[in-house]
Every structure is written in structure tokens, then in C-alpha cells.
Amino acid sequence: AAGQRVARCATEAAAAWRPLPAAAEALGAARPRGRPRLAFASVFVAPHLRRAAAVARARTLTASTRACAMGRRSAREREVASANGGTTSTACYLQIIGCGGDSDADAPPSVMLFFDGDRYVFNVGEGFQRLCVEHKVRVGRVGNYLMTRASTETLGGLPGLLLTLADLHGRGSEAGGVAGGVTLTGPPPLRAAVGSMAPYVHGRARGAATVHETASPADASGAGVRANEVVRTREVTITAFTVTPEGTLTDAQRARAAAAAAVGAAGANEQQQQRRLQGDQDSSSPAPEQAQRPAKRPRLQPGAMIGGEAACSYAIELPTAPGKFDMRRAEALGVPRDSRRGALVRGQTITLDDGTQIAPEQVLEASEPGPKALIIDCPTLGHLEQLRACEAFRALARTSSCAVHLSPAAVIESDAYRLWVAQGFGEGDAATHVLCAARAAPVPPAYGFSAAMATRLAAAVPEFFVETHSVENGVAARRASAGEPTVVAQGSTMLKFTLRPAASRGLDSSGVPAMPDRDALRAEAFEELAMAGTSGAKDEVGPADKVAAKGASGAADGAMVGSERVGAKVGGAEVLFLGTGSAMPSKYRNVSALLVRPREDGAGGLLLDCGEGTVVQLTRALGRDGMLDVLANMAMVWISHVHADHHAGLQRLLTERRRELQRRLGLGPDERVPPLAVVAPPLVRRYLEWYGALEKLSATIIPIEGTTSDAMASADARSDESGDWPPVELADAMRRAGVGELSSVLVDHCQHAYGIVLRSAGAVARGADGGESAAADGDAVSGGDANAWSLAYSGDTRPTPKLVRAARAVDLLIHEATFEDGLLSEAMAKRHSTTTEALQTGRDAGVGALLLTHFSQRYPKVPNFRDVGSDPNGMAVGVAFDLMRVVCGGRADAPGSARRLTSSLPKLEALFQAEMDGMADEGDDGDATFGAEAIAGNGGGGGGGGG
């Protein structure tokens, strides 16, 4: 029987792939001595043959499918395809990704250059992967990512992207990945910036990307414009113009530029250690001495992001398209239907059987000159002056069909920039300009699905939810005033400029998201609540327009909707959920981050985890002014573990905070600001130290292993080379945040993974006085102190007794519930918790309220929570959503209190009944896929974090 199986597999394989029999014979000849040939072939050869036969059949099927598609083409298309090596591109356009009323106004959006068989993406800012999922952008065929700057604005989404590309690269073409990885191109110090991600990226993403800098760091340190060709294919030629303005670099900055170039090399040397510490190993806990004694505390010195001075603009040139083959002329001239027609298409003169020579121009229509387009990014007016003076760029600008401007608003709105746009582009009526940073007219939200959900939630449960901040309107394309180019369009997500075919050349706004009808969304929510027999905001506070006004005002001043203003007697602390999903963002849930803000005058905020897109989520929740106020007053950031979905947004947050403090304090761009305390595990600390050599971050790194209860109490940990422990920066941050006790708890997920317990000074005093537990208390959760509060956050973990003991009787436990109960084996394998396990942890700890979060993206909107509301011990239970606000501590009967979470579950169940019944709601096709496949399609992209 074994012999028959081997023979059958070999026969099937040989039919499609002839070298296999020889390979099988070689394998059989290589059998160990003493082992029968038949047994060896059955055990070792047959599995290889089966896999090879499957691959061969797939290749044959792919080839036949391609042949069928080729057969359906017209004669003209077949001839052009033959002339171009079997491929032809009939469509080409530029498309903007991520320019919306709720996106990061300071960061340039991504722009995709589309061809039938290839894609190019310019810039990978924060939220790139989420936007790809949101708008079903399939980026698996992207072979080149080109950056206009090497800064957090253009690279914020790169860590997650690299991790997902690594997954796709590992699975090859079956996952839609680009064979051999992708190429990252940009100005210096792009190589060093990518190298700084080594502590948590390179262990998994090795081989997924190749970095190419458009100029050497030494060249970029001198003023001028350097042009070099970075892409040349049959379809397109892309030239990078690297601009460094006059007088932007001091001698000290040039010295740091040379030092920064070493960061990338350092990353390569760390790979083995990174893999050991990455979190993939069997042991989830560090050695006892690691947990007890903190490492030396580094202070992050501000670096000099040379990429902030060196910026790239790109020129895109398409080749001349040969004229259409005129079949009637060819027939009239007697050109036979053979390969000679293909030769004419390729521009060759042919000879007929009777000796007559036929030139290409006799059977081809006039050729079509290749269109040109520009991607322009001038971070400062100094960059603009250098680019304007470049004759090569000026020549391209005069003949370009389209220019996409990624320059910041302050530069675009300057008189010099306006004059350049008016006089330096286009011949005749040719030029169209897309200004991405301009806000002359509102634009639709980039995260439309999440905004719609937030509107429905705010209508149904106004005490826990508010609507998102967004300015909304359609794309504004206007005729320019005298002296300006033909059309100036305001950038918007999915706005397209078609380059080919020539008949369709121009702006196309058909893919731009429509303005959300908030009134209709509210009415829909009210109708669903009425059908379920529950009431929403309409019954509680009046008409829908009052609900909207109340939500907007609450978001503006940072207060809870339906509750008193910050600083009122309700007390406690407000928890704002900025991300409640796991691994990678989805349309409805961002990755992990939550903001804790004590409701006391003058208290700063604490950020627990900081996944990619945290700054954007803050802006959507509080408005831009509210976001900047939070960053300026933030006391501390605490990172639970090294997986990217918990900290990849940190560098963007630190950069934005530094700029805002410099503005408020009247400081120059090179002057230091008070550092922010960042409590982080070892690999995150190493990443921040390396990246801090490139860009000013202004942070003090505090080892998380030194903040455990044992370490804080240990005599050995009370002093180190830097002085007393805990450090002054940690004590000061706790005081500013109104925290009396901070304790990190080692949990069971990956190495150096922690949870945290926070207690206000009043809660610590309550515990010292023998106050009642949170779950047993009555009207005042905090035992009589209106401002007292206590909170525990699990991070990512399996159920662990350590967390149960540390979180005893806290007012609110925020616990991960990544998987539903039916996926216990997967939860154990990935070291996460199920819903029931999280509930049991809350009961064992005797907490006042439990909020479930960190849901797998297989549940795009909501997990099934029908059985989580009833608890015999009186523990309130809730399900977290992005931009949800909850008050822990303070008065238990106050609107928004965590003790009232259970009352929200019937309304939430009414809103999401179809999802929990397993029914597909309209507009959600494709939600069955998650992770990398959600944006892979026929070719994936985007990226995730850890687990």
C-alpha cells in the first residue's frame, strides 16, 4: 500500500512537473543504511511528493487561468502584451489614503500609485494599515514604499507594516505577499530609523524589506537638491529629488548625523538577542533577580532627526504609449496575422512576402506621450526655495499633469508657495493641484465606520459615549483665480487622479466617502432600541440635536457626557479608551491604549499602553485642541510589554508633545522641554534610546521591572548608579497624576509582560484605615473620599493569581478578553484570556466593576457578551469600545460611573443584536477575514503587532 501511494504521488507530480521523479529517485537513493527502500520512501519521500504535486497543480491552474484571460483579450491587447514581455498596464492613477476630517492634520497622508500589476506607496504614516482595512485598499502588490521624510509623520505606520509584511513574506505567494520582500526608499536617515526598530521588529521581519537611501548622510548634510532615479520599469520611472535647505544643520547636528548612521548597523548585531527576548520563547517570566532589581535608568537625550531637514519630492514619468494598431490599415496593406504585427507594434519595420516593406507609422495611430505627475513635500520654506531653484524639477513641473502637495499647511498657505503654484506649473490647461494639508473646506472623516458606530453609541448610551470630532463636507475642487493653475482640489481620502487612459485623465471623486448622515444614524439607533424595548438618549435628554450638542460640548471640555464637569464633586478618575482591539487595527477598533485622568483640578493624565494611532484617537475623541492639552499636561506613559500593538504610537506621541510644549513655552525647535516619564520594559527602552538618537523625544525612561511592589520595597532596589529608587521623575509623575500607589505586576504573556494597579492617595489612605472593599461599598465607592479611586489593568495575560492579589478590591478592573470561551485552546497557546476567565479574575479579586477589552479582530464590531452581565457578587460588568469613557471611583450613582456599566448592556445588545446572532450586516462583507488577510486580498499589506 505504501508503494502504491508513492507511485501515485510520483505519477501525479510527474504529469505537471517533470523534474520530480529524478528528485524522488535521489531521495530514495539517499535512504539510511538498513532501512528498507519502501519504508523510507513511504515515510520521507511521499510527503514531499504530495506537497510538490499540489504546488505543481496550482502552478498549472494559474498558467491555464492566465492563458484563458489572455485569450479573452483583443488582438491589440495581445500584441501590446507580447511587445511588453507578456504584461500590459491599461490603467494608472494616483490615489490619496488618509486625508480626512478626523485624521492627523500634521502628518502627510499616504499616496498610492496604481498600475494593473503593481503598486507604489508614498509615506506610511500612523493608521496606514487601519485605513487600508477601512477602505479595502489591497496593498499586497506594493513592491516599493517611498518616503518623503524619515520622521514620525511619514514612518509612524512602518513598524506594524513590517511585521505584517514579515508574515506575508514567510507565507510567500499563498498569502499574497511580494516575493523577496519590499523596498523602502527615502532620504537619510531612513536606514537608521528602520534599524532603530530592531529591538522588536527585526527578529520577525528579517528579509521582509530592503532599505535604499536617496542620498548618503554625508551628502544630505549639505544644502542643495540631489536627483537620482529610484525606480525604472516598463511602466514607470520615478526620480527622487532630495532637498536639504541652506543653514538648517549646525555642526553638532552634522556630528549626530554621522552617529545616527551607526544605529542601523547596531540593529543588525542585536538580532539574536532580540529573538531571545521577543516573547516567542517558552518561558514567560524573567529570572527572579530581573523582576526584583531594575536596570540602570537611561535618560533619553534629544537627537537631531536629519530626515527633518532632508526631504524628498518625487517625479513620476510614464512611458510613451504606442499608437493603436489599426486593423483596417493592416488588412488593406496585406499584413498577415502573424508575429509581424507584433513587430510593428514594437516599432520595427517588417517585410511582406512580396518584398514590400511596411513601416510602423503606416499601421499605427499617433503615439501618446507619457503623462507626468509630482509628489511634493516641502516641510519648510527653505526646502521650497531649493526645489524652486532646481532646473530639472522645474522642467518636469512645467509639463506635469498633476501635482500632489504633501507640504504642511503653514507652508502651503504662505505667499511664496502660492506664487510658486501659480507660476511654476503647467503649460496651458494641463496642471491639476491636490493640496492635502489645506482645510479651505471640510472633508469627510477618514474613519467613517468608526465614526458611524460612535454616533450610534452616543445616541443609545450617552453617559459612556460621545460622537467623534470631525469636520465634514465633500471634496472641494474649485477653479483657480487668475494666474493660478486650472484646478486646485482639496485632498480627501480616496480622491483619485487618473493618468491613463488619456480619455479619463483628471480628478475622480467617485470613491471619496460620503458625508455621514448623523441624524439618520441616531434615528436608526433609537429605532433599534425601541424594537428591543429599551430607551436611549432620545428618551432621556430630548431630541437628537440636543444629544449631539451635548456630546460635542462634553468632548470639547473633556467631561463625561451626562455627568458633571471635570473638577466637580463626583470625583474619581475618568478612563478614556483609545483602542480596544488586539494585534492590528480594524475598521471599528484601534490597538491598545487608554488614558486615565483624575477628575481633580490640575491633575495630569496617565497613558496605559500606546498603540499605533493613539494621537489620532485622542484627536477624534477630544478635538485637536483637547488632544494638545492632554499631551502638554500628561504625567506618565506606562507600556505593558514589547508587542508593537501596545507601543508603536509612542514616538509620534512624544514628538507631538515636544512640539506643543515648545510652542507653549516659547522655545525654539532645538531647545529642550521637560521630559515625560515613560515606564517601559527593556526592549521598548532600547528602541526609544536608539530612535532618540534620530529625533527629539524628550522622555525619561524608567525600567518597568523597578516598579513592581517587590522592587519598590526591596532594599537592593532603593538605590542604583543614578541615585535613590524610586527615581524623582517617577515620584513627581505620580504626584502630578494624583497617584498614591503604582505597582506593576508580572503577568503570564511574554517575557517582561506586566499589568498595573493604580490607587489614588485617598484610596491608599482608605486601605490603611481598613476601609471597605470596592465591591461591598454603597453610595460612595471610595469609602467616603469623593476623589479617591483605584484601578487595575491586566495588559495581555493568561489568568494569574498575582494579578488577583494585586487588584484586590479595586474600583475598576480592565481585563483583556481576547477570545470567546469556545477558543480556550487558542487562548492558551497565545497566552491570552477568554471572557469567562476574565470574569472569574474579577470575581476572585472582589472588584467593584470589570471592563472587558483587547478583543480579537475576528470580532470586528463586538464579541458576544450576552452572558456577562449577571454576577452574584454584585460586580458590574461592561464591554469596552473605542472612545468610551468611564469613571472609576467617586460616587457610585453618578452618570458614567463604572458601577453603572451593567445597565448599559441591554442597550448595547439591542444595537448589535445582528452581530451577536452571527448575521452579516450591510457594508461588512469581508469582516470574516482578519489580521494580515484583511488587507491582503489578492495581495496583502498593513501590519500588526504582537498578540
Side-chain angles (χ1 to χ4, degrees):
Q4 291 174 354
R5 287 197 298 271
V6 172
R8 185 169 60 253
C9 290
T11 302
E12 292 176 357
W17 197 11
R18 295 191 178 276
L20 270 180
E25 185 176 349
L27 282 172
R31 73 186 189 281
R33 288 186 177 182
R35 182 180 292 274
R37 179 185 298 270
L38 192 59
F40 176 78
S42 176
V43 175
F44 294 101
V45 180
H48 293 286
L49 290 176
R50 282 195 295 271
R51 285 194 292 271
V55 171
R57 283 195 298 272
R59 289 177 177 174
T60 303
L61 180 61
T62 302
S64 62
T65 303
R66 190 161 49 240
C68 290
M70 195 73 177
R72 289 193 296 268
R73 295 180 183 175
S74 65
R76 148 73 179 166
E77 289 174 326
R78 287 197 300 270
E79 289 166 349
V80 172
S82 175
N84 289 278
T87 62
T88 181
S89 184
T90 58
C92 174
Y93 57 80
L94 288 166
Q95 189 164 38
I96 298 172
I97 304 173
C99 185
D102 55 354
S103 57
D104 192 344
D106 285 344
S110 300
V111 180
M112 183 173 69
L113 175 62
F114 174 94
F115 292 95
D116 291 334
D118 207 353
R119 316 283 189 274
Y120 301 84
V121 169
F122 299 86
N123 292 336
V124 187
E126 275 199 342
F128 175 74
Q129 34 189 353
R130 186 179 187 187
L131 288 163
C132 289
V133 175
E134 172 90 11
H135 301 287
K136 298 184 179 179
V137 176
R138 310 302 188 185
V139 295
R141 292 182 181 177
V142 177
N144 290 267
Y145 291 86
L146 303 101
M147 314 301 168
T148 60
R149 303 174 229 162
S151 64
T152 56
E153 291 89 349
T154 59
L155 299 176
L158 187 57
L161 176 66
L162 288 177
L163 290 171
T164 296
L165 289 177
D167 293 340
L168 297 175
H169 179 64
R171 284 176 285 174
S173 59
E174 294 179 5
V178 177
V182 300
T183 300
L184 306 177
T185 303
L190 179 63
R191 192 183 309 278
V194 175
S196 70
M197 303 169 190
Y200 66 98
V201 169
H202 280 187
R204 285 174 54 192
R206 188 187 314 168
T210 302
V211 180
H212 170 68
E213 290 185 340
T214 57
S216 68
D219 289 339
S221 63
V225 179
R226 291 159 185 83
N228 64 309
E229 195 175 277
V230 293
V231 173
R232 176 177 284 275
T233 68
R234 290 191 182 96
E235 295 176 321
V236 66
T237 298
I238 302 178
T239 303
F241 291 84
T242 307
V243 183
T244 305
E246 289 278 1
T248 58
L249 298 181
T250 64
D251 292 339
Q253 288 174 326
R254 288 191 178 91
R256 283 197 292 266
V263 173
N269 296 330
E270 294 282 335
Q271 288 184 1
Q272 293 300 323
Q273 186 175 4
Q274 293 147 13
R275 296 188 68 186
R276 180 175 61 83
L277 298 176
Q278 190 60 232
D280 299 329
Q281 55 275 71
D282 294 334
S283 176
S284 63
S285 301
E289 58 271 18
Q290 288 179 306
Q292 295 288 333
R293 187 177 184 86
K296 180 179 178 180
R297 184 175 79 259
R299 182 181 297 275
L300 203 62
Q301 298 296 330
M305 172 58 88
I306 309 306
E309 280 74 29
C312 277
S313 293
Y314 293 92
I316 301 166
E317 299 177 79
L318 273 60
T320 298
K324 291 183 178 181
F325 188 87
D326 193 321
M327 300 288 292
R328 293 180 180 177
R329 286 194 213 170
E331 294 290 344
L333 293 172
V335 179
R337 294 175 177 266
D338 56 21
S339 60
R340 282 175 282 191
R341 293 197 175 191
L344 287 169
V345 172
R346 292 192 293 272
Q348 301 171 7
T349 299
I350 66 168
T351 302
L352 300 181
D353 296 340
D354 60 2
T356 304
Q357 288 191 334
I358 305 295
E361 55 269 19
Q362 292 179 260
V363 293
L364 297 180
E365 297 179 1
S367 60
E368 175 196 325
K372 301 180 181 66
L374 301 174
I375 306 292
I376 301 173
D377 188 2
C378 295
T380 68
L381 291 176
H383 292 83
L384 173 62
E385 292 304 316
Q386 292 289 342
L387 198 59
R388 288 178 62 180
C390 178
E391 182 56 39
F393 191 84
R394 289 164 57 188
L396 288 167
R398 286 192 293 267
T399 58
S400 293
S401 301
C402 174
V404 180
H405 297 262
L406 306 183
S407 307
V411 177
I412 284 180
E413 293 167 0
S414 66
D415 292 338
Y417 204 95
R418 290 175 180 270
L419 182 64
W420 180 53
V421 170
Q423 299 180 356
F425 289 83
E427 294 178 349
D429 248 11
T432 296
H433 292 257
V434 180
L435 308 180
C436 293
R439 286 292 184 266
V443 292
Y447 305 99
F449 286 96
S450 177
M453 177 185 280
T455 298
R456 299 176 70 232
L457 288 170
V461 195
E463 66 174 316
F464 294 118
F465 298 94
V466 297
E467 296 186 14
T468 59
H469 277 253
S470 177
V471 287
E472 298 161 3
N473 200 357
V475 174
R478 62 177 177 84
R479 297 293 298 185
S481 59
E484 289 188 349
T486 305
V487 175
V488 176
Q490 180 172 288
S492 185
T493 294
M494 307 310 290
L495 178 65
K496 183 190 298 183
F497 186 91
T498 301
L499 294 170
R500 273 186 176 155
S504 302
R505 186 169 300 159
L507 287 173
D508 179 2
S509 59
S510 60
V512 175
M515 294 180 294
D517 188 341
R518 294 185 182 269
D519 289 337
L521 290 168
R522 296 185 198 105
E524 178 186 334
F526 296 147
E527 182 179 354
E528 292 174 350
L529 294 179
M531 292 177 60
T534 59
S535 62
K538 185 175 182 180
D539 300 312
E540 296 172 11
V541 297
D545 55 349
K546 294 183 179 179
V547 176
K550 189 170 187 179
S553 64
D557 61 24
M560 294 292 300
V561 174
S563 67
E564 294 83 352
R565 293 173 62 89
V566 175
K569 294 181 180 179
V570 291
E574 177 187 276
V575 182
L576 171 61
F577 287 85
L578 302 172
T580 56
S582 67
M584 66 174 292
S586 71
K587 291 188 294 187
Y588 302 99
R589 295 182 183 271
N590 201 48
V591 287
S592 297
L594 57 97
L595 177 68
V596 181
R597 291 190 293 174
R599 295 164 68 89
E600 301 179 23
D601 291 330
L606 298 92
L607 189 66
L608 306 183
D609 280 333
C610 186
E612 178 187 335
T614 295
V615 169
V616 173
Q617 291 290 88
L618 278 170
T619 304
R620 298 178 67 224
L622 306 174
R624 176 152 182 85
D625 292 340
M627 177 272 292
L628 293 175
D629 191 61
V630 165
L631 295 188
N633 294 288
M634 186 169 290
M636 181 194 309
V637 177
W638 180 91
I639 304 299
S640 62
H641 62 289
V642 73
H643 287 159
D645 58 324
H646 290 258
H647 70 85
L650 191 52
Q651 68 270 29
R652 178 76 179 124
L653 180 138
L654 292 173
T655 302
E656 195 69 39
R657 173 186 177 271
R658 172 182 57 80
R659 292 172 180 168
E660 176 60 14
L661 285 178
Q662 287 172 338
R663 185 188 68 82
R664 294 190 177 198
L665 299 175
L667 302 176
D670 293 328
E671 296 185 80
R672 298 188 181 187
V673 299
L676 178 65
V678 178
V679 181
L683 289 182
V684 178
R685 297 201 303 269
R686 187 178 306 164
Y687 164 58
L688 290 177
E689 292 163 20
W690 287 5
Y691 196 87
L694 307 174
E695 188 165 12
K696 308 175 187 69
L697 297 181
S698 298
T700 296
I701 317 287
I702 299 172
I704 195 171
E705 57 268 29
T707 62
T708 64
S709 58
D710 293 338
M712 298 281 271
S714 171
D716 292 337
R718 287 188 183 277
S719 63
D720 63 2
E721 298 179 14
S722 301
D724 292 337
W725 190 268
V728 175
E729 294 87 352
L730 177 60
D732 180 65
M734 292 172 60
R735 177 188 57 76
R736 288 179 53 207
V739 174
E741 179 182 296
L742 182 153
S743 177
S744 299
V745 183
L746 197 64
V747 295
D748 181 12
H749 181 57
C750 65
Q751 195 171 51
H752 302 297
Y754 291 83
I756 189 173
V757 178
L758 298 169
R759 289 184 170 88
S760 68
V764 173
R766 178 187 68 191
D769 294 339
E772 295 180 356
S773 70
D777 210 340
D779 292 336
V781 175
S782 310
D785 186 345
N787 288 322
W789 56 273
S790 55
L791 175 147
Y793 170 54
S794 69
D796 289 6
T797 184
R798 291 286 301 147
T800 171
K802 294 180 182 179
L803 184 63
V804 172
R805 291 192 297 269
R808 183 75 62 189
V810 297
D811 297 325
L812 174 63
L813 169 62
I814 301 169
H815 201 289
E816 72 122 289
T818 308
F819 296 104
E820 58 186 335
D821 295 338
L823 297 173
L824 177 60
S825 59
E826 190 168 350
M828 295 177 67
K830 296 185 177 180
R831 295 180 182 176
H832 285 294
S833 299
T834 65
T835 301
T836 297
E837 289 173 331
L839 289 168
Q840 190 59 48
T841 298
R843 297 188 189 105
D844 293 344
V847 302
L850 171 70
L851 250 177
L852 305 177
T853 187
H854 197 268
F855 303 112
S856 169
Q857 300 296 11
R858 70 183 68 218
Y859 319 114
K861 283 188 178 179
V862 67
N864 193 331
F865 56 84
R866 280 181 173 144
D867 299 327
V868 306
S870 58
D871 183 76
N873 299 325
M875 176 181 69
V877 181
V879 177
F881 291 82
D882 281 18
L883 311 186
M884 183 181 188
R885 305 172 186 218
V886 177
V887 176
C888 71
R891 289 208 322 260
D893 61 344
S897 171
R899 297 298 297 275
R900 294 166 55 90
L901 281 169
T902 304
S903 65
S904 69
L905 292 181
K907 300 174 184 178
L908 295 176
E909 183 177 345
L911 288 181
F912 299 105
Q913 182 175 358
E915 286 77 7
M916 289 193 291
D917 287 341
M919 298 166 56
D921 64 330
E922 59 182 354
D924 276 349
D925 56 308
D927 274 346
T929 60
F930 57 94
E933 289 78 6
I935 51 178
N938 294 331

